[in-house]
């Protein structure tokens, strides 16, 4: 089967599940309208979801669950950190932009890494340099300015899990 | 009041608390990037908390399904818009705050543009 | 001076929360929660009016969009109507695409690339 066809089928199922979740109604007209619109969506915008071929492993699901749990824990810590900074009368910020190096190559993995870095304590991704595999990161409370220490402190938390999931 | 409604209200109140901290950060912090950090993190987590609280409150009803869908949507999209604004602000040469220590992005960009 | 301003702001917030939660007892609890979020939107409007640069205003509008999703969710359980969350989803989509377009415009690129 071609890759584009696979991607279209995946988009069709995603759109249909979303339709069923939004209109929780199991009558025939509702289901038919959802079917028609899912097919239209899959034909118009279906080729961009899956770009590269990948094999399915059971390990990947376990790593995904671990990643989601870790992401929620880090988000809670990030929120408490921001709350401490905001309530403090003197605003203890020491901001700056540092760069870190990453080993990931795929677009989806880089996007998820950037999103996770944005949601974890004190960091915000500003730009990605895809050719040199460098991420520019705004850090609200700088500890280290050189590239090695910053990579260890920011990137390595999620990089292993994302490498298992996406690569 | 049933148990699940009490747990749902706890989640909703936590979400509102974090929303409030995020908005306070939007007013108090010194420059665009710091404001973006505080506001994005806290308001995303707060709104997702409210939506998860609504899901727990109403159980497996239409409201619950829609709210869980909306929570996934918020968690996926708000970091992306944060990146877009941060990058655009830096390219539009909006200055960083006076407390800033280092700006590696500026150095690299000047090297590239010649 | 900074500490003085901090104390003033803290007192204002405490008094507002006290009036909201303990004075008017006949208002349902859900509406009191919505009042807190409405109080937050006042802060966002301060940033929209005051913001020294364009990027500040875009950030404020983005945050307003995410906050309104929360308000819609609480309205849905306060009035027991599930379609309020649909309004929230639609508002969030519109706000997301609008903020992306504004960011691209601020960066100086054309919108069709």
């Amino acid at each position: 089967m071609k890759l584009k066809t696979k991607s279209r089928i995946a988009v069709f199922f995603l759109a249909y599940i979303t339709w069923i979740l939004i209109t929780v109604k199991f009558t025939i007209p509702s289901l038919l309208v959802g079917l028609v619109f899912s097919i239209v969506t899959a034909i118009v915008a279906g080729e961009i979801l899956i770009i590269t071929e990948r094999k399915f492993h059971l390990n990947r699901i376990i790593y995904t669950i671990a990643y989601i749990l870790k992401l929620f824990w880090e988000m809670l810590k990030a929120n408490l950190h921001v709350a401490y900074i905001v309530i403090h009368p003197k605003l203890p910020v020491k901001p700056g932009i540092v760069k870190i190096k990453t080993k990931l190559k795929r677009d989806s993995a880089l996007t998820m890494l950037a999103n996770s870095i944005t949601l974890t304590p004190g960091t915000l991704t500003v730009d990605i340099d895809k050719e040199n595999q460098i991420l520019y990161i705004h850090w609200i409370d700088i500890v280290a300015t050189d590239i090695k220490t910053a990579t260890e402190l920011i990137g390595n938390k999620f990089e292993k899990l994302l490498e298992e999931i996406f690569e | 009041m049933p148990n699940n409604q009490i747990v749902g209200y706890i989640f909703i109140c936590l979400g509102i608390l974090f929303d409030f901290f995020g908005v306070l950060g939007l007013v108090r912090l010194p420059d665009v990037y710091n404001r973006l950090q505080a506001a994005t993190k806290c308001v995303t987590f707060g709104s997702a908390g409210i939506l998860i609280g609504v899901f727990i409150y109403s159980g497996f009803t239409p409201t619950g399904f829609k709210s869980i869908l909306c929570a996934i949507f918020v968690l996926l999209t708000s970091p992306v818009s944060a990146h877009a604004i941060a990058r655009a602000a830096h390219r539009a040469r909006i200055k960083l705050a006076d407390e800033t220590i280092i700006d590696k992005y500026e150095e690299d960009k000047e090297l590239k543009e010649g | 001076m900074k500490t003085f301003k901090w104390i003033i702001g803290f007192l204002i917030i405490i008094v507002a929360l006290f009036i909201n939660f303990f004075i008017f007892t006949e208002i349902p609890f859900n509406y009191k929660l919505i009042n807190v979020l409405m109080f937050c939107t006042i802060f966002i409007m301060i940033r929209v009016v005051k913001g020294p640069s364009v990027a500040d205003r875009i950030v404020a509008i983005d945050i307003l969009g995410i906050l309104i999703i929360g308000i819609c969710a609480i309205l849905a359980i306060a009035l027991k109507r599930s379609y309020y969350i649909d309004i929230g989803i639609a508002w969030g989509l519109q706000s997301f695409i609008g903020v992306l377009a504004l960011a691209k415009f601020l960066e100086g690129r054309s919108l069709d690339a």
Side-chain angles (χ1 to χ4, degrees), chain A:
Chain A
M1 203 189 288
K2 263 189 182 173
L3 209 60
K4 278 186 180 176
T5 325
K6 250 186 203 174
S7 169
R8 286 209 166 104
I9 290 169
V11 168
F12 167 74
F13 277 109
L14 263 180
Y16 203 38
I17 288 170
T18 311
W19 172 268
I20 288 173
L21 283 181
I22 284 180
T23 67
V24 192
K25 219 196 253 174
F26 293 99
T27 57
I28 289 172
S30 162
L31 290 180
L32 269 181
V33 170
L35 198 69
V36 170
F37 277 105
S38 308
I39 289 172
V40 170
T41 313
I43 288 171
V44 172
E47 21 185 285
I48 51 174
L49 185 66
I50 302 174
I51 301 174
T52 46
E53 196 93 32
R54 244 175 280 165
K55 273 181 194 163
F56 181 78
H57 287 300
L58 192 65
N59 276 350
R60 197 171 279 154
I61 294 175
I62 299 167
Y63 280 119
T64 310
I65 293 169
Y67 168 72
I68 290 171
L69 289 179
K70 181 152 192 182
L71 183 65
F72 267 89
W73 174 239
E74 292 286 334
M75 277 172 74
L76 194 61
K77 271 202 297 189
N79 280 284
L80 293 176
H81 179 233
V82 170
Y84 167 73
I85 285 177
V86 167
I87 293 177
H88 202 284
K90 280 178 189 162
L91 286 179
V93 291
K94 207 167 71 166
I97 295 180
V98 297
K99 56 181 180 180
I100 70 168
K101 205 158 174 48
T102 176
K103 279 174 283 181
L104 304 172
K105 283 189 195 116
R106 281 177 201 270
D107 283 354
S108 51
L110 278 172
T111 312
M112 288 314 288
L113 180 67
N115 278 1
S116 337
I117 283 173
T118 300
L119 291 174
T120 47
T123 48
L124 170 86
T125 316
V126 176
D127 202 354
I128 295 178
D129 189 347
K130 209 187 149 198
E131 282 133 32
N132 304 324
Q133 294 179 316
I134 285 174
L135 272 76
Y136 295 93
I137 284 171
H138 184 266
W139 203 352
I140 205 169
D141 196 2
I142 283 193
V143 181
T145 52
D146 61 319
I147 186 165
K148 236 182 205 173
T149 330
T151 307
E152 272 174 21
L153 283 172
I154 297 172
N156 283 3
K157 272 186 256 173
F158 290 106
E159 210 168 35
K160 274 180 195 164
L161 284 171
L162 283 171
E163 212 171 355
E164 294 288 344
I165 294 170
F166 282 106
E167 303 265 329

Side-chain angles (χ1 to χ4, degrees), chain B residues 4 9 17 28 34 48-49 63 77 80 84-85:
Chain B
N4 65 332
Y9 269 123
L17 190 71
R28 287 197 72 202
N34 293 323
T63 316
T77 57
V80 177
I85 299 170

Side-chain angles (χ1 to χ4, degrees), chain B residues 67-90:
Chain B
S67 62
I68 211 78
L69 196 71
C70 197
I72 294 169
F73 172 72
V74 168
L75 284 178
L76 279 180
T77 57
S78 88
V80 177
S81 56
H83 304 163
I85 299 170
R87 183 159 170 253
H90 206 287

